[in-house]
Amino acid sequence: DLAGEINVQMPYFVMGKIEQAMKPRGLKDAKVLVLGLSYKKDIDDPRESPSFKVIELLLGKGAKVVYHDPFFPTFPAMRHYRHLKVAPVELTEKTLRGQDAVVIVTDHSVYDYAWIVEHAKLVVDSRNATKGVTEGREKIVKA
């Protein structure tokens, strides 16, 4: 029961970290890239993924959200999140530089986290995916 409760609360915890990191700019009209829609890394199963709740919370705060996930070229239809409309983007230098924040929700092995940190303004890491990144640590917020 406790593990289930913790899993349910994690998107809210991550959201709190995002909001803290985005002060004083705030989330209204902020461009946010969510990395990963899968429940866990390197799979194409979105069921029970915290990504959808995080996206819903970001949109609720007025953020402009896009996503990248190599396993989901289109945003999957989810029973509880049918109302979400989020566009996929290519993971490029230009895309990363154009975001106010990048939020790592699923730590896929194909992502080059050092490269992501290098080109992003801010990275909120909910999976400790950037633990091995040495350059740009000041841009990383652990969630």
Side-chain angles (χ1 to χ4, degrees):
D1 288 342
L2 181 58
E5 259 183 65
I6 290 170
N7 286 342
V8 167
Q9 291 305 313
M10 280 310 291
Y12 297 96
F13 176 77
V14 171
M15 188 64 190
K17 291 291 190 173
I18 296 167
E19 286 181 300
Q20 271 183 322
M22 294 292 291
K23 282 184 178 177
R25 192 233 181 269
L27 284 168
K28 180 105 173 84
D29 296 321
K31 294 178 183 175
V32 180
L33 168 60
V34 171
L35 290 181
L37 296 180
S38 302
Y39 177 66
K40 59 183 181 177
K41 72 178 180 177
D42 303 334
I43 64 168
D44 64 353
D45 186 354
R47 292 174 297 165
E48 306 297 325
S49 173
S51 298
F52 299 94
K53 188 63 178 180
V54 170
I55 290 169
E56 182 180 58
L57 293 169
L58 285 165
L59 291 170
K61 295 285 186 175
K64 296 178 179 180
V65 181
V66 292
Y67 82 93
H68 181 273
D69 188 307
F71 295 93
F72 295 98
T74 59
F75 198 77
M78 299 294 292
R79 183 171 34 128
H80 297 294
Y81 298 101
R82 292 180 205 268
H83 59 288
L84 297 181
K85 304 292 183 227
V86 184
V89 293
E90 288 186 48
L91 192 57
T92 65
E93 224 176 277
K94 182 179 179 183
T95 300
L96 289 168
R97 290 188 194 281
Q99 304 304 309
D100 295 303
V102 175
V103 182
I104 301 169
V105 184
T106 309
D107 56 338
H108 291 306
S109 298
V110 298
Y111 289 142
D112 180 344
Y113 295 105
W115 180 82
I116 290 166
V117 170
E118 177 185 351
H119 300 293
K121 295 173 190 167
L122 169 70
V123 176
V124 179
D125 183 358
S126 73
R127 297 290 184 178
N128 201 24
T130 58
K131 66 181 172 279
V133 176
T134 55
E135 297 291 320
R137 300 278 333 151
E138 70 282 356
K139 297 193 279 184
I140 301 170
V141 173
K142 289 189 175 190

